[in-house]
Amino acid sequence: MAVKKADVLLIGTWEPTFQAELRARYDIRELPDGPPRAEFLRKHGAEFRVAVTSGPPGVDANLIAALPNLEAIVNNGAGVDTIDLDAAERRGIGVSNTPDVLSDTVADTALGLILMALRHFGAADRYVRAARWVSDGPFPYARDVSGLQVGILGLGRIGSAIATRLLGFDCAIAYHNRHRVEGSPYRYAESPLELAESVDVLVVATTGDPKTRHLVDRRVLEALGPEGYLINIARGSVVDQDAMVELLAGGGLAGAGLDVFADEPRVPTELFGLDNVVLFPHIGSATARTRRAMALLAIRNLESYLDNGVLVTPVLRPRR
């Protein structure tokens, strides 16, 4: 495959599969970090039509302003919380993401977190490795998953995939969205608070953006209560992390399964010693098959835009 030069700027953290697929196709310049960044943008900012972003720091309003001829932002990921969508929309800049291809893998991660958090599988593994089975006797009882009331905050593609899996455990599903999902067989709750009050497990699967920041606040967490479990595979910003840590440490929540945090990769050290918490390093979509599918879909968006000005999976359509 011939490598093509393109007026495209790469921004953010290189995901290895994405890097390999992109470099095999295009000769693309990368936005430098630190002091060289401002000088690079001053000299070259007007040269780029498309920005390709993969992970933080993303594309904020200041960066958009420094790219006066930017027409489209191609994001390698389903979440677009690192992109200033308002600034992009004001400029008529298109934005794409990689939906669907990661829904099943992230839903599997959520199910794994639920099983590990409620059945204490991670703690049980550590118990055996520390030879405590011999010294301390049988491992303490845990909580059944089958038959529980589960609330899903955000019944989109991923939330729906999580719900489908939980039906196999005879769980009763409720959900909250900004709007009801027409035709959904699941009970609708009018607010996150109402949802938390009525379930044993609250799964956060909503988008991460300014509108959902601390959607799961202290009141919602307290409503979930000392018998309730929090599972988060969305974004750390959706949950009031300080309140969550306090309640987990003090018995205000039964436990949690967390794949995302407010200031990644930094995780509150208070959580490290808690056996009622399962901690993952943001691996929801981290399988070789899924990451390659994401990379190829991002590249399809890039190729389509460069060829005909159309994004395959637009979040915002370009206004040209």
Side-chain angles (χ1 to χ4, degrees):
M1 183 183 298
V3 175
K4 298 180 285 188
K5 286 189 175 292
D7 46 359
V8 175
L9 179 65
L10 182 72
I11 301 163
T13 306
W14 282 94
E15 198 282 321
T17 305
F18 186 46
Q19 176 182 8
E21 297 289 348
L22 195 62
R23 287 293 196 202
R25 292 164 171 78
Y26 292 100
D27 179 11
I28 294 179
R29 282 177 290 176
E30 185 175 356
L31 181 66
D33 289 329
R37 174 172 162 149
E39 181 64 13
F40 177 90
L41 288 171
R42 188 186 66 80
K43 287 183 176 179
H44 304 291
E47 299 172 14
F48 301 104
R49 292 175 54 216
V50 182
V52 178
T53 182
S54 177
V59 186
D60 61 16
N62 290 332
L63 182 52
I64 289 173
L67 301 170
N69 295 313
L70 188 65
E71 300 171 7
I73 301 169
V74 173
N75 185 54
N76 179 41
V80 291
D81 50 302
T82 61
I83 299 171
D84 191 323
L85 295 180
D86 291 336
E89 188 170 26
R90 285 193 297 270
R91 280 265 304 274
I93 295 168
V95 177
S96 68
N97 67 342
T98 58
D100 294 324
V101 294
L102 49 67
S103 298
D104 284 334
T105 303
V106 177
D108 291 347
T109 302
L111 185 59
L113 283 169
I114 292 169
L115 287 166
M116 289 187 69
L118 273 75
R119 291 296 308 275
H120 300 169
F121 286 152
D125 175 81
R126 293 189 293 274
Y127 193 83
V128 173
R129 292 174 188 274
R132 293 183 61 193
W133 195 6
V134 174
S135 62
D136 296 359
F139 188 73
Y141 292 157
R143 182 86 172 267
D144 281 318
V145 174
S146 297
L148 291 182
Q149 301 275 339
V150 180
I152 298 178
L153 187 60
L155 196 71
R157 296 176 177 94
I158 294 172
S160 296
I162 295 168
T164 299
R165 283 156 174 75
L166 289 169
L167 292 177
F169 289 82
D170 294 323
C171 292
I173 308 297
Y175 75 98
H176 173 74
N177 275 8
R178 290 177 184 137
H179 306 288
R180 290 176 185 265
V181 177
E182 187 175 350
S184 172
Y186 309 125
R187 176 175 62 84
Y188 180 72
E190 295 288 343
S191 68
L193 181 62
E194 179 183 313
L195 183 64
E197 288 172 338
S198 65
V199 298
D200 304 298
V201 180
L202 180 63
V203 182
V204 183
T206 189
T207 57
D209 56 46
K211 294 178 182 178
T212 61
R213 177 174 170 76
H214 287 189
L215 189 63
V216 179
D217 59 14
R218 178 179 289 275
R219 291 177 64 232
V220 172
L221 294 169
E222 289 177 344
L224 189 57
E227 299 298 319
Y229 291 80
L230 176 73
I231 307 296
N232 190 2
I233 47 80
R235 288 292 185 269
S237 61
V238 181
V239 176
D240 182 337
Q241 184 166 278
D242 290 342
M244 178 192 70
V245 170
E246 179 185 324
L247 291 168
L248 284 168
L253 286 171
L258 307 171
D259 186 43
V260 290
F261 303 90
D263 185 25
E264 296 176 2
R266 285 164 283 277
V267 176
T269 56
E270 298 93 331
L271 297 177
F272 293 164
L274 300 180
D275 265 346
N276 61 334
V277 181
V278 180
L279 306 172
F280 285 177
H282 202 151
I283 56 169
S285 65
T287 68
R289 180 188 65 84
T290 295
R291 288 294 171 87
R292 186 164 192 271
M294 290 169 60
L296 292 177
L297 181 52
I299 290 169
R300 277 181 59 205
N301 274 285
L302 175 60
E303 291 176 340
S304 176
Y305 190 81
L306 292 175
D307 289 345
N308 55 43
V310 175
L311 294 170
V312 177
T313 52
V315 176
L316 291 176
R317 297 185 185 277
R319 189 173 65 246
R320 301 179 69 192

